[in-house]
Amino acid sequence: MRDLAVALDVGTRKICTIVAEVRPDDIFVVGVGIEPSAGMKKGIVNDMGALTAAISASVHKAEKSSGFDIARAFVSVAGSHIASVNSRGAVGIAGQRGVNLDDVDKAMESARAIAIPHNREVLHVVPRSYSLDGQERVRSPIGMHGFRLEVEAHIITASSTSVANLEQSVEAAVVAVDRFILNPLASGDAVLTEQEREMGVVVIDIGGGTTDMAIFIEGTVWHTAVIPVGGDLITNDVTHWMHVPFDVAEAVKVHHGHALQKAVDPLETFLVEPFGEGMPIEVQRNAMAEIMEMRVAEMFDMVKKEIKRSGYDGMLRAGAVITGGCAQLEGLKEVASRELGFPVRIAKPERLTGMADALRAPSYSTSVGLLRMGLSMETAAVGTRVSSVPGKSIPSPNISKVIGGLFKRLLPDGDG
């Protein structure tokens, strides 16, 4: 008997489905399905039929490689419609007893009770810190004595329409959604160390259509944001500069791209076949690097402005951890460190075993993080997850009760 989790990462450039056993020391992958994405732009559905077909293909590949029928999955979500706010909630503690889980739940419910527009919904409610009778920065109040418990929570909301369209696309592929999980939270769970979380770090996940950010301080998330630009913007620059199709420009970016012009030999060239030309033309790699460097610098300037807007720019002692498909662009680390003004490292998922060769790259951090997040939800839940008999379906766990209301999507009881 094994406990299996399913992750469905729905991105602008790719769909990745993973079936895996999430273990204390590693993630044992038993099935993977990777398919080019369609019907998504900047993290938002723009063609439901095309997206459903791409999801179905990815899921089918994962089913075939794992030997399991996939019924449900943890699903990624991003897009410029994501917003966040911090809120405080409080509850009185009756009698002379210690704080229990019910007290924490009530304080979280109080923090969650904020006014949001009718066209938005709460995606996650994450406790930042607690205070007990005025004692601030309490990490875990369980068992402590006091009369008034307060919690400061980070609340992430999303457009109800965008979430509904994504959910409908997934369900049309005959996969039910266990929970939606925000991309940078999943990525952070996959690539950050405990020390980085404690010291203060920003995880920057650069995908094809969006750049997803999450700031972690004192072990938990303090700020999240989604910037509606990503690696496709660089590819579009190459498309216009070389007059080549998007797919050709993407291949050129991957194989010849560099974000730091001074690191490229001015004499280095490569061949590419543009529109309307019968023969390939010779292109200077240094000239292309100049264009890429300007665009990458612009992207990190936008990231820097968002960090400053958060108010936590002076608290990121561990700097930035960059992941996502665009993180593999040569020279990007150096440009990021220059623009942001603090240390930067490029990260990919670690501690993967089994059928994991294709997943050991920065572009799969969200995919793997969805599994880890699913584990954290499951360990706090009631009940077991699955009977892992090959050929049988993978049902959902009972995750109706998660400690402190962590990472809940506000749906009726029994949905999961």
Side-chain angles (χ1 to χ4, degrees), residues 6-10 73-78 82 123-124 156 166 177-187 189 212 366 369-377 399 407-409:
V6 181
L8 177 56
D9 181 11
V10 184
F74 295 103
V75 181
S76 66
V77 63
I82 299 295
L123 195 64
H124 299 299
I156 301 169
L166 178 56
V177 178
D178 271 339
R179 285 295 186 273
F180 285 111
I181 298 176
L182 185 67
N183 280 21
L185 295 186
S187 298
D189 206 81
D212 310 321
T366 294
L370 289 171
L371 295 164
R372 296 185 184 277
M373 294 287 288
L375 172 66
S376 68
M377 298 167 75
I399 50 178
F407 309 126
K408 279 186 177 179
R409 182 172 180 223

Side-chain angles (χ1 to χ4, degrees), residues 229-279:
V229 296
D232 284 358
L233 200 62
I234 302 171
T235 306
N236 284 328
D237 287 346
V238 176
T239 296
H240 291 300
W241 183 63
M242 290 187 179
H243 303 289
V244 295
F246 186 90
D247 290 346
V248 173
E250 180 69 19
V252 166
K253 181 183 76 174
V254 171
H255 294 103
H256 303 286
H258 207 296
L260 193 63
Q261 183 189 16
K262 69 179 183 181
V264 179
D265 185 344
L267 300 179
E268 186 176 352
T269 63
F270 60 92
L271 297 177
V272 66
E273 188 172 329
F275 283 116
E277 297 288 341
M279 295 290 292

Side-chain angles (χ1 to χ4, degrees), residues 87-108:
S87 175
R88 293 186 72 91
V91 64
I93 310 299
Q96 294 298 314
R97 60 175 175 80
V99 175
N100 59 32
L101 285 177
D102 286 339
D103 298 321
V104 173
D105 283 342
K106 290 176 182 177
M108 289 295 294

